[in-house]
Amino acid sequence: VLLEALPQDLRVKVQSAAPVLVEVWEHDGTLQVHLVNYASQAQAVTVHFDRPVRAEVWSHDRLLPATIEGQELRLEVDVYSILVVA
């Protein structure tokens, strides 16, 4: 019911087995998607965009970001991850 109440023009949708907090914001043409994992262990999260994107993935366990591409981005989220789409 809650999902049906959300606007249909959202540019990002997230799928996961356990709850994930999702915050999306845009500034100067850069989209950031912040994912916070509420599960007791790392989990696979799929982020669906309305078009193919190239994103940097930042997290606490990486010194440098990973780069992933596609319309559906699948990543392992332990505590948190940030997707930066320019």
Side-chain angles (χ1 to χ4, degrees):
V1 175
L2 179 60
L3 187 58
E4 293 170 1
L6 294 174
Q8 292 298 314
D9 62 346
L10 284 178
R11 295 176 10 164
V12 176
K13 294 184 181 166
V14 176
Q15 284 184 293
S16 60
V20 171
L21 173 68
V22 180
E23 289 189 22
V24 179
W25 61 279
E26 189 172 2
H27 180 69
D28 290 338
T30 299
L31 183 72
Q32 287 194 15
V33 181
H34 295 239
L35 305 168
V36 179
N37 182 16
Y38 280 107
S40 59
Q41 59 193 12
Q43 67 171 320
V45 175
T46 303
V47 182
H48 303 268
F49 290 89
D50 60 353
R51 61 179 172 78
V53 298
R54 179 183 174 115
E56 290 184 342
V57 181
W58 293 85
S59 64
H60 73 285
D61 58 348
R62 295 179 195 252
L63 294 176
L64 296 173
T67 300
I68 54 178
E69 296 181 35
Q71 191 163 344
E72 295 181 356
L73 304 182
R74 184 174 169 88
L75 60 148
E76 192 79 10
V77 179
D78 184 8
V79 177
Y80 73 88
S81 292
I82 301 170
L83 298 174
V84 179
V85 179

